[in-house]
Amino acid sequence: MSTVPVYRWRLAPDGYATRRQLRTLGLRPGGQDVAAQLERPRRRRGPLIAHLYRIDHAKPVRPMTPGRAAALAKAMAARRTCPVCRRDAGYCIPRSLGMCVTCAFPHQQCTA
């Protein structure tokens, strides 16, 4: 097992990026292994760890196809549909409730 270099928070050298940073650059890791780690110390818990990838080995993000866009829209519509009343709630149904807020708390009314 190889070890990866560990850098302190905000002290990583140029040429490395997190997944989110790669995404803002229009890139993805593209199957490469983690090249380094960032550690941010915390007082009462273990450090926060961020994985870094090499920018020069990253690949461009795959373009959104019409089929993928349709599948994503269908999945998001399913997350918004209440399984009890079968209506589109207009927001993603909380998994903790398993139904829209109106069905979960029928005795409360909005006072806005």
Side-chain angles (χ1 to χ4, degrees):
M1 182 173 164
S2 65
T3 60
V4 297
V6 178
Y7 299 104
R8 298 277 299 188
W9 200 253
R10 297 182 187 250
L11 296 178
D14 292 337
Y16 292 103
T18 63
R19 281 183 182 266
R20 286 188 178 189
Q21 291 169 338
L22 286 174
R23 190 64 175 201
T24 59
L25 297 172
L27 301 171
R28 62 186 168 95
Q32 65 173 304
D33 293 330
V34 174
Q37 283 185 347
L38 279 179
E39 283 191 355
R40 179 179 179 196
R42 296 190 291 181
R43 290 186 181 165
R44 292 184 177 92
R45 292 180 280 177
L48 288 174
I49 295 175
H51 299 287
L52 297 175
Y53 301 92
R54 293 190 43 180
I55 295 174
D56 57 344
H57 290 173
K59 295 180 180 176
V61 174
R62 294 184 186 117
M64 181 66 72
T65 63
R68 288 177 62 196
L72 182 60
K74 187 176 178 182
M76 291 306 292
R79 289 183 65 192
R80 289 190 313 266
T81 304
C82 177
V84 177
C85 64
R86 308 302 294 166
R87 289 186 300 186
D88 187 343
Y91 55 87
C92 289
I93 305 293
R95 288 177 36 176
S96 60
L97 296 178
M99 61 186 79
C100 67
V101 177
T102 307
C103 293
F105 305 107
H107 59 279
Q108 294 182 355
Q109 293 186 358
C110 182
T111 59

